[in-house]
Amino acid sequence: MQPLNLFLTKHNICYQSIDLSIDKTIFYFDDASSDPLVQLNDLISELNLPRSVTLNLILDHSFVGLYCFTLPPVSRRRIDKILGFELSDALLEDVDEYFFDYRHFTIKDKETRVSVYTVKKNIVNRIIQICRAQGLEIRSISSIVDLLNQKIKKKYAPDNDIVIVSDRFYTYLFTYKGSFLCGVSSLKVTEDKEKDSENLNTKLKSIGIQNNEINNIIIDDYINSEFELDDQNSIRILDHSLEKLPDSHFSQITEVPLITLANRINLLKSNFFLLKELKKHTGKIILSSFVIGVCVLIYISSIIYENIANNKKYKELEEQYNETINRYLPKGVSKSNAVYILQTQVNELKEQQKKNQRFKKREYTVSQQLSDLSALKKEVSSLILNRYFLTDQSIRIQGEVSSYGEYDRLKINLEDIYNGKEYSMKFNQKSIGEGLIQFSVTIRPIKDNN
């Protein structure tokens, strides 16, 4: 197999292979609004790769999301079960729409920190279709943020630090808490160095307020000559042109074999790795297969014995059934009709009981909630409700408003509908451009412990 490492962003595609003779290693998109996956398809077609090639695909932050959680001390097995619930509150869409992988670090008897990388399934499926059409196999889908994290930890060994890296498109701020990555922020690079400096320092102050343990800022060696740090941990971007910044982080992660690390984040659960792992344990597999075969024989024998016992029991029950029917059934009525009549009467009684129970207590909680939510339009004129999802454990509402002021009024009105003594609420919101605020709120009844 001939591996091809390929880095995809919304601005360019970088590619590199030791085994293949490829002249151009970076491809810029002519139109900034073009679909990167269409560009990927065109590039792969143009390269005309042999069918023996496997792709190691790396996606930037535009495609891969990062969510960090702090949990009580738990095992990896428990993390696998908990993450789905945690992500359902953080993601605007259902967690079933995403593939995800994660890193975790447990401080004994204190807490477990988890960094989760997510990618939409429809993006992965499109990439797989593009590669299959060219007869190529995808070996892995990694995150540039995770690979840069591995490079930073190996090079700088950060503790409670912020590490700044940049290329000509984005500046990243990696925040570490006790040497574990607990957040990444990205800022778009422009020609206005004064504005970029202001935005960078604002973001640094915001991170410092949220993480008061941060005590140091590290500037990556690749950009050290373009950024100046003073004694007050304030950054000034020097008079540089975009051309002086690295074209891409791709060259940095290919200098050392980060792409081939066994413990890297892989958002594609490929059969390739499963087969590779199975080859290491061939002996154990043969022994396990033998044990499974013996267990299957024992299981089949038990089924045969159980079947014989059930047949005997069935005959006894049939005799008892016939005796009972003859004793209590009126003459002239066949046995089959009598059973049908009795069953019909029982079903009618059960159905009537259900109706009586249903209307015994006339409370229509969901209907009242929907009516109250519809009435919110009078208080929050720009409100658009996209989704109302009800389960036994929680209520989830998603929608949009046109401003943060409208969002605050919405929160106040929701707190009136869902009384704080009876419900707990968790809000999530983000700006989606053009002044729109996209929000989700999870509402859970407060359990009465008395």
Side-chain angles (χ1 to χ4, degrees):
M1 289 291 187
Q2 297 170 296
L4 173 66
N5 303 319
L6 192 148
F7 177 37
L8 177 64
T9 78
K10 288 193 173 182
H11 305 281
N12 56 38
I13 303 176
C14 306
Y15 47 95
Q16 172 259 356
S17 176
I18 298 174
D19 302 319
L20 299 170
S21 57
I22 301 176
D23 296 331
K24 190 176 181 180
T25 58
I26 187 164
F27 172 74
Y28 292 98
F29 304 156
D30 296 330
D31 182 4
S33 63
S34 60
D35 186 346
L37 296 185
V38 173
Q39 299 288 344
L40 174 64
N41 181 62
D42 294 343
L43 176 64
I44 292 178
S45 300
E46 182 182 330
L47 290 177
N48 194 24
L49 300 169
R51 291 183 177 269
S52 60
V53 169
T54 59
L55 291 183
N56 291 313
L57 186 62
I58 306 147
L59 302 178
D60 78 344
H61 69 286
S62 304
F63 301 97
V64 180
L66 174 62
Y67 299 90
C68 300
F69 304 104
T70 300
L71 307 173
V74 291
S75 65
R76 185 179 180 91
R77 180 178 297 179
R78 288 285 297 162
I79 293 174
D80 292 335
K81 296 179 180 179
I82 293 172
L83 276 188
F85 296 100
E86 294 292 337
L87 286 171
S88 65
D89 289 336
L91 298 170
L92 287 173
E93 298 184 40
D94 288 339
V95 68
D96 292 338
E97 299 297 322
Y98 295 83
F99 291 121
F100 62 88
D101 198 0
Y102 64 91
R103 294 191 181 279
H104 73 287
F105 175 73
T106 299
I107 302 175
K108 189 176 181 181
D109 300 328
K110 186 178 180 182
E111 64 186 21
T112 296
R113 297 170 185 167
V114 187
S115 295
V116 189
Y117 297 83
T118 65
V119 63
K120 283 192 173 183
K121 288 182 178 179
N122 62 342
I123 292 177
V124 174
N125 292 335
R126 281 187 64 190
I127 293 172
I128 291 174
Q129 289 175 358
I130 289 169
C131 293
R132 280 181 178 172
Q134 300 296 328
L136 305 178
E137 177 188 352
I138 301 181
R139 183 172 183 173
S140 66
I141 297 180
S142 306
S143 165
I144 188 66
V145 170
D146 176 61
L147 297 179
L148 286 174
N149 173 39
Q150 300 307 306
K151 187 205 87 166
I152 289 170
K153 292 180 71 173
K154 183 177 181 180
K155 189 173 183 180
Y156 301 109
D159 187 12
N160 294 319
D161 304 314
I162 297 175
V163 180
I164 300 175
V165 300
S166 183
D167 61 16
R168 61 184 296 187
F169 296 105
Y170 290 98
T171 297
Y172 293 99
L173 287 76
F174 287 73
T175 303
Y176 290 88
K177 184 178 179 182
S179 74
F180 187 77
L181 181 65
C182 65
V184 176
S185 301
S186 63
L187 298 171
K188 189 167 179 55
V189 176
T190 70
E191 294 283 1
D192 188 346
K193 65 183 180 65
E194 298 298 334
K195 187 66 175 178
D196 285 0
S197 298
E198 180 183 345
N199 292 338
L200 182 56
N201 285 304
T202 300
K203 179 59 70 173
L204 287 171
K205 290 178 183 178
S206 174
I207 295 173
I209 292 172
Q210 297 176 19
N211 303 274
N212 53 20
E213 304 94 337
I214 301 297
N215 52 34
N216 191 30
I217 296 175
I218 301 171
I219 299 175
D220 190 24
D221 291 343
Y222 276 84
I223 58 169
N224 202 25
S225 61
E226 308 299 328
F227 290 75
E228 184 177 75
L229 179 67
D230 62 21
D231 295 337
Q232 282 73 43
N233 279 339
S234 180
I235 297 286
R236 184 170 73 91
I237 300 176
L238 303 180
D239 190 10
H240 66 264
S241 63
L242 294 180
E243 285 72 19
K244 290 186 179 181
L245 291 170
D247 286 334
S248 167
H249 297 294
F250 185 64
S251 59
Q252 301 177 39
I253 63 174
T254 51
E255 288 178 358
V256 290
L258 293 174
I259 297 176
T260 57
L261 285 176
N263 67 337
R264 72 191 184 282
I265 291 294
N266 184 9
L267 295 164
L268 178 72
K269 307 303 181 185
S270 171
N271 291 332
F272 175 85
F273 296 103
L274 177 61
L275 294 174
K276 188 175 181 180
E277 191 66 24
L278 289 175
K279 289 180 180 178
K280 299 178 182 178
H281 306 285
T282 304
K284 293 181 181 179
I285 292 173
I286 294 174
L287 178 61
S288 300
S289 300
F290 173 76
V291 173
I292 291 172
V294 172
C295 292
V296 168
L297 289 175
I298 294 174
Y299 176 70
I300 293 173
S301 300
S302 67
I303 290 177
I304 294 172
Y305 173 79
E306 185 178 359
N307 188 48
I308 294 172
N310 286 338
N311 285 336
K312 183 179 179 181
K313 186 176 181 180
Y314 173 77
K315 290 181 179 179
E316 293 175 354
L317 289 173
E318 186 177 15
E319 291 176 0
Q320 185 179 356
Y321 169 76
N322 291 330
E323 182 182 346
T324 303
I325 291 296
N326 291 330
R327 181 181 299 176
Y328 296 105
L329 202 65
K331 293 181 178 180
V333 179
S334 67
K335 298 177 182 179
S336 58
N337 286 339
V339 172
Y340 172 76
I341 292 170
L342 289 173
Q343 187 63 50
T344 302
Q345 292 176 344
V346 170
N347 290 339
E348 289 176 353
L349 289 173
K350 287 182 178 179
E351 187 65 27
Q352 187 62 41
Q353 187 178 18
K354 286 181 182 179
K355 290 181 180 179
N356 294 338
Q357 187 67 28
R358 185 183 306 166
F359 295 100
K360 184 178 180 181
K361 189 175 183 181
R362 296 179 179 271
E363 292 183 358
Y364 308 100
T365 306
V366 175
S367 177
Q368 183 61 46
Q369 287 183 12
L370 292 175
S371 177
D372 292 341
L373 290 173
S374 297
L376 286 179
K377 189 72 175 179
K378 298 178 181 178
E379 304 294 333
V380 186
S381 59
S382 66
L383 174 63
I384 298 175
L385 294 177
N386 297 327
R387 185 176 183 188
Y388 176 90
F389 184 73
L390 174 67
T391 67
D392 294 338
Q393 290 79 31
S394 67
I395 302 167
R396 191 163 186 204
I397 303 169
Q398 295 179 354
E400 299 174 359
V401 293
S402 63
S403 67
Y404 281 101
E406 293 276 84
Y407 177 66
D408 292 337
R409 284 197 295 276
L410 173 67
K411 291 174 67 175
I412 293 171
N413 282 276
L414 283 176
E415 289 169 354
D416 291 339
I417 296 174
Y418 299 99
N419 189 294
K421 294 182 180 180
E422 299 178 9
Y423 298 93
S424 66
M425 290 191 288
K426 181 176 180 182
F427 290 87
N428 286 295
Q429 56 82 22
K430 73 174 183 178
S431 174
I432 59 175
E434 299 182 357
L436 292 178
I437 308 300
Q438 195 173 55
F439 70 87
S440 67
V441 55
T442 303
I443 303 160
R444 291 187 172 90
I446 299 175
K447 295 182 180 179
D448 188 358
N449 295 323
N450 295 328

